[in-house]
Amino acid sequence: SMAVQVDKKVVFMGVGILVGVIGIAIASRWLYNKLDIQTKLKLRQLRPEVRKKVEKFLIKAQKAGIPLKVTSAYRDCEEQNKLYAQGRTAPGGIVTNAKCGQSDHNVGVAVDIVPIVDGRANYKVPESVWNTIGAIGESVGLSWGGRWTSFKDRPHFYDRDGKSIAQLWTEQQNLANLA
């Protein structure tokens, strides 16, 4: 019978890679568990393929030392129209140009985030921090509202999967009608 020669280096390398992969999975799970409960609940409102990207984004930002909280994900018509009225027919400043059916939030493909600094939500972080957050979001395949020219929306991250909001809205209405 022929003896099988096993290269110990290959075995150690294989075990090392496996331990590394398991380590990354545990670290990611640990970082996911550190997210606040509102963020976790809001993530559940997103389309599954978008939720995966947003989870990766939040974990990557946390690893980079920039913890984020999700302040908005899915919005129904009532909430969207209330926001649209702000600064127009209701008190406050204008925060959106989108009426119901015109926002990424109405179709479950967007989140608004806020950086957490010293345990508190803080939108007034330096431009360089926003640019880092934007780059991290884009690195996982999200688009960033901070790139918009007419209405810069730095907290806004979305993934329309190559479709328009109108197409996504129609798809959603058709699915709702089937239900």
Side-chain angles (χ1 to χ4, degrees), residues 78-105:
E78 189 183 352
E79 195 184 348
Q80 188 64 41
N81 288 333
K82 203 178 282 178
L83 283 175
Y84 183 77
Q86 198 177 307
R88 292 179 176 89
T89 56
I94 289 178
V95 290
T96 183
N97 286 325
K99 294 176 185 170
C100 181
Q102 299 174 342
S103 167
D104 294 310
H105 293 281

Side-chain angles (χ1 to χ4, degrees), residues 47 49-50 53 104 109 141 143 158-168 171:
R47 293 183 182 217
E49 62 281 7
V50 178
K53 288 181 183 180
D104 294 310
V109 299
S143 297
Y158 61 100
D159 176 20
R160 296 182 195 139
D161 194 29
K163 297 175 182 163
S164 69
I165 295 172
Q167 285 173 303
L168 292 166
E171 279 177 16

Side-chain angles (χ1 to χ4, degrees), residues 82-135:
K82 203 178 282 178
L83 283 175
Y84 183 77
Q86 198 177 307
R88 292 179 176 89
T89 56
I94 289 178
V95 290
T96 183
N97 286 325
K99 294 176 185 170
C100 181
Q102 299 174 342
S103 167
D104 294 310
H105 293 281
N106 304 149
V107 289
V109 299
V111 290
D112 290 340
I113 55 89
V114 61
I116 302 298
V117 182
D118 299 325
R120 308 177 87 127
N122 184 357
Y123 290 100
K124 292 179 171 63
V125 294
E127 183 81 16
S128 60
V129 175
W130 276 118
N131 289 336
T132 302
I133 293 168

